[in-house]
């Protein structure tokens, strides 16, 4: 009998941003695997489910356990915050899945922080945009630097994930300097959102030069406008096209 | 008395990909403004609502009408497919809003085609990525070309919106040639999804050289991998990092 593994993006955290499809997948699962913090968010809404928590950096082990469980004919879910496919668990699960031939994997998408944070600020990603993580755990820093330069050169709106962690407090400042060296002006409108969709949500607009010294944390998403982005009525707004 | 305008991303089309937040906003609205096709998708689920349909390219007029309506103290919604902020109505509404001081605008995010299509194919956008529209209605073609080159140069995963329309049948082929000229190899794994989340949904993986002659339509979303992207068990999968 074949098993099923749902890789589910639960959105930014609040249940009203989780899709009915994601909710149905979690209801269908016998057990839910995930990072401790996300399972704590889910626990009150799925009181009858068995939740199997693991810590950060145990992602591959978590995938293997969930795949082995499903391979015995069970229906299980692996959860991620935001979307399952954006820096999420869909990729490692699908890479490991061929070793578990009895498992049907279904990826269930969700609202990622780029979209949820943009809505809080206004419409900063309303034209072509780029999503870049500043974490160099799995990506060499020169690759990240190249991507920032490319975004600046091509006038792409930019959304930065993981702007800061304990081990890399200076990455956001470095990114801001790289963008300015790539001739992005210091007055370029930017914005930050902390704790998207949670009670402690906080959002600010500021110039790129101010962003350089902003104290981001692990729960901050950063937005950098393109050459047409403006602050309009307190919102960060990128036009849908070029006026000229 | 102040009015309220919700700009609502309804997701790709199927109700199980619309967030509860979006559903609640539409329930709260007295009237829903939108492009005819999207309102037809909503009509069965909101039978008691007044739906005010307009055609494509009437976006600014639609925003003005909805803002004027809300400015009289009403609660109204403007809907977009996918997310409200990704090539959606949030940007024009917020640009026009300062002329309607009695209106509170709330942007309600949704699942955009980049996320929903990626989940259908596997996990093509699991590392840093770029979303580019091939429509040159509001963007000069040289700007689009520059963005494609930047994505190739910086090894960003790429998601293309609007790969084809009546007036620009050849844009996808041109984009594929530009990427290859920017030294992206012809065997680079790519994927397409048509009619995401609808009954007629269709998805295929193919090499970049095949994508060049693929017959995309207005309802197709295109995915192009980075240098690490592989086809794994029939899915298009980008690893979350660089192995070396």
């Amino acid at each position: 009998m074949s098993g099923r593994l749902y890789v589910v993006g639960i959105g930014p955290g609040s249940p009203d941003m989780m899709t009915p499809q994601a909710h149905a997948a979690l209801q269908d699962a016998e057990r839910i695997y995930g990072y401790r913090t996300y399972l704590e968010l889910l626990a009150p809404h799925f009181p009858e489910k068995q939740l199997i928590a693991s810590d950060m950096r145990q992602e591959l082990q978590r995938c293997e356990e969930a795949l082995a469980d499903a391979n015995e004919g069970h229906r299980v879910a692996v959860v991620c915050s935001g979307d399952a496919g954006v820096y999420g668990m869909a990729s490692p699960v699908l890479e490991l899945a061929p070793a578990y031939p009895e498992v049907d994997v279904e990826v269930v998408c969700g609202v990622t922080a780029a979209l949820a944070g943009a809505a809080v600020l206004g419409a900063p990603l309303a034209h072509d945009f780029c999503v870049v993580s500043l974490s160099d755990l799995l990506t060499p820093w020169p690759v990240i630097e190249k991507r920032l330069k490319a975004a600046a050169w091509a006038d792409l709106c930019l959304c930065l994930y993981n702007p800061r962690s304990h081990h890399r407090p200076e990455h956001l400042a470095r990114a801001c300097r790289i963008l300015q060296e790539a001739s992005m002006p210091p007055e370029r409108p930017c914005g930050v959102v902390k704790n998207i969709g949670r009670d402690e949500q906080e959002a600010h607009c500021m110039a790129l030069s101010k962003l350089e010294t902003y104290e981001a944390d692990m729960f901050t998403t950063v937005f950098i406008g393109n050459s047409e982005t403006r602050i309009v009525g307190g919102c960060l707004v990128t036009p849908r096209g070029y006026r000229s």
Side-chain angles (χ1 to χ4, degrees), chain A:
Chain A
M1 189 193 127
S2 71
R4 175 163 281 258
L5 192 162
Y6 299 103
V7 195
V8 181
I10 64 169
S14 90
D16 67 344
M17 283 196 255
M18 187 195 297
T19 67
Q21 190 185 35
H23 196 275
L26 296 180
Q27 280 298 0
D28 189 50
E30 298 161 61
R31 275 173 292 287
I32 305 176
Y33 291 79
Y35 173 48
R36 198 170 302 282
T37 308
Y38 306 149
L39 292 184
E40 282 163 10
L41 288 171
L42 289 177
H45 308 287
F46 297 89
E48 74 293 359
K49 293 288 168 188
Q50 191 187 348
L51 306 176
I52 301 175
S54 51
D55 290 318
M56 263 196 169
R57 313 227 185 158
Q58 300 187 329
E59 285 93 353
L60 291 184
Q61 192 188 328
R62 191 189 306 153
C63 294
E64 298 269 17
E65 279 173 26
L67 281 161
D69 191 348
N71 206 46
E72 286 170 17
H74 298 293
R75 297 184 313 287
V76 305
V78 172
V79 294
C80 334
S81 75
D83 180 62
V86 176
Y87 311 112
M89 301 295 283
S91 167
V93 165
L94 289 169
E95 287 195 291
L96 295 166
Y100 301 87
E102 298 301 319
V103 183
D104 287 330
V105 175
E106 183 178 339
V107 180
V108 180
C109 58
V111 172
T112 187
L115 307 185
V120 173
L121 288 167
L125 304 181
H127 205 284
D128 304 331
F129 67 94
C130 199
V131 176
V132 174
S133 167
L134 296 189
S135 166
D136 60 355
L137 283 177
L138 298 170
T139 307
W141 180 260
V143 174
I144 297 169
E145 192 163 323
K146 196 168 183 178
R147 287 171 180 175
L148 296 171
K149 285 180 189 167
W153 178 72
D155 198 27
L156 287 155
C157 304
L158 198 48
C159 178
L160 303 179
Y161 282 47
N162 305 309
R164 187 192 172 105
S165 75
H166 288 304
H167 300 288
R168 37 193 167 75
E170 78 302 348
H171 278 194
L172 179 57
R174 273 171 79 179
C176 291
R177 285 196 295 274
I178 289 161
L179 293 171
Q180 289 177 77
E181 282 160 23
S183 59
M184 191 182 280
E187 62 274 15
R188 174 65 55 85
C190 299
V192 294
V193 190
K194 271 187 190 176
N195 298 306
I196 298 170
R198 305 191 191 163
D199 290 341
E200 324 79 54
Q201 179 179 291
E202 207 184 291
H204 307 282
C205 296
M206 64 189 80
L208 179 60
S209 56
K210 291 284 178 197
L211 184 63
E212 194 176 326
T213 55
Y214 178 76
E215 288 273 332
D217 64 20
M218 276 179 63
F219 305 104
T220 306
T221 310
V222 172
F223 296 82
I224 296 164
N226 71 12
S227 62
E228 302 274 319
T229 305
R230 299 287 177 269
I231 312 274
V232 183
C235 294
L236 190 63
V237 182
T238 301
R240 296 201 304 165
Y242 284 79
R243 288 183 184 86
S244 52

